[in-house]
Amino acid sequence: MYKSNYLANKLRRSSIENDDGVFAYLPNGNTVTYARLFSNAEKMAHVLASQGVKAGDRVAVQAGKSLKVIELYLGTVLAGGVFLPLNTEYTASEVDYFLSDAKPTVFVCDPKRLETLIPVAQAAKVNTVLSIASDGESGTLLELQNLAPTGFQAIERRAEDLAAILYTSGTTGRSKGAMLSHGALASNAMTLADYWEFTASDRLIHALPIFHTHGLFVAINTTLCAGSSLYFMAKFDCDEIIAEMARATVLMGVPTFYVRLLEHADLNLKTVANMRAFISGSAPMLTETHQQWQQKTGHTIIERYGMTETNMNTSNPYHGERKPGTVGLPLPSVEVKITHPDTGALLPEGEVGQIEVRGPNVFSGYWQMPEKTAEELRPDGWFLTGDLGVQDSDGYVSIVGRAKDLIISGGYNVYPKEIESIIDDHPSVLESSVIGLPHSDFGEAVVAVIVLQPGKQSTEDEIKNFTKEVLAKYKQPKRVFFIDSLPRNTMGKIQKAKLREAYSQTFK
Ligand code: MCA
Ligand code: AMP
């Protein structure tokens, strides 16, 4: 089945013999079988092909979470296209950048945003704009899908051909499109399905967004690879997850999920009796959260580590010791080494350095950014993660910091430079520094520290409103502070550590 299409073939292999098996359980009690999922994906592929999508063409989507978006993802792969999901929070100016940079053949958005986004798409020379409503029930793409035939002949794609581009912000402030090949996605999904022992009997609680690596590739590709099922939630909700645990077997989430679930009165040994694994990643989990989870549920959370550019690199084992505070061992076929951040020299065991990774999971480079690619991806395949870590004598990796200036808020990455450049455009602002401060719910929260132009005035609300128009909500500062001057070292570099220290009690 789909033999000529590398990724589609791997994603369909397990379910083809079990076509009536359930892919998704929906909160309204309905189910969607594998046969239905893939016949709908084939219809999507027909629509895309009829709209001119050819091998290597991008299909961008900014639409609410629904199974229709998964059908669109699979349809894009079948049609030989390159899937480009966008955070539903992105503002029109953020979307403008992605469309202008990636030049998709088709852009799909929510019908409610057509009026705003059609001009944006037109300016970026995207000819076809279609829609899917967030309930997955209406929209112009779905009207076309209903009329399309099934039985699409999958377009030939090899392991090295692109299947997706996911944008990840950069330290310079400009987002970079990580190009992910059929081979990279397929290899990671198969590795994870195997490592975490997914089978057709599993039911994964899916409460993550599906525009990022975690919710789309780690959760969905792994499920597809194993022919398992999903309980497909529109969004994260503690009550719903607790109730579903009676029927489900696995939960995947960011640390905020676990922090919030721990506050739920009904989380106990009985509620989790049917569950076999709790997996966490995207952001560091506090040892305290690990311990509380163990006490309340008897389960040790499996913490793993990945990136948009690499999918998953390491994981605590399914069998064997899971060490809280570590992100576990390199996954099968993934190599990890710790090197000196300045020289790239290999460091002895136990020393902190930059984590480098190599393997079939690693991306193919940044979309149309050969220089950026060369800076981070060595010719021999090693990728410089920008994370600082250490490996113990058993090979377990711990992430101890970041060489890159990055804030992770509730599992979403925020690069301070992007926020600083926007705040600096405010007429009253001389300069700004954006930092991440400890936050009990989101792990870290975005905070701006601002120096005003001489004689100018502003307020916290004014700055917040100014960022609202251009930045997705999770990037907007939760607090704004004004200061006479920013602390600098002798080289003139802003000492963010000093700022973090000065404001460390903000959310306590
Ligand atoms: C919501 N808000 C946030 C965040 N989420 N602010 C900062 N950071 C966030 N992550 C805002 C809301 O807009 C709202 O603002 C206020 O905070 C409270 O929102 P709340 O209703 O509590 O939030 P929620 O809707 O329940 O969302 C929280 C969430 C969500 C469920 C944790 O952020 C989430 O799904 N995060 C997962 C992100 C993810 O999938 N990351 C994986 C990236 P106001 O009150 O002003 O309206 S992939 C990755 O990192 C790699 C590859 C990896 O290793 O996985
Ligand atoms: P992104 O590129 O948005 O997918 O984010 C990747 C970054 O998230 C990594 O470079 C790490 O800094 C961070 N990350 C992912 N998983 C973990 C984890 N388990 N612990 C600490 N940081 C993590």
Side-chain angles (χ1 to χ4, degrees), residues 272-287:
V272 304
N274 201 51
M275 298 288 290
R276 68 170 185 90
F278 293 94
I279 303 171
S280 175
S282 307
M285 174 169 273
L286 296 176
T287 303

Side-chain angles (χ1 to χ4, degrees), residues 168 212-213 280-285 303-309 327 385 387 399 402 404 406 408 411-413 415:
T168 157
H212 275 314
T213 298
S280 175
S282 307
M285 174 169 273
E303 187 167 356
R304 65 25 168 214
Y305 158 59
M307 289 184 75
T308 303
E309 288 90 336
V327 290
T385 62
D387 290 311
I399 299 173
R402 297 169 200 141
K404 54 194 173 193
L406 163 70
I408 307 183
Y412 286 131
N413 286 13
Y415 278 85

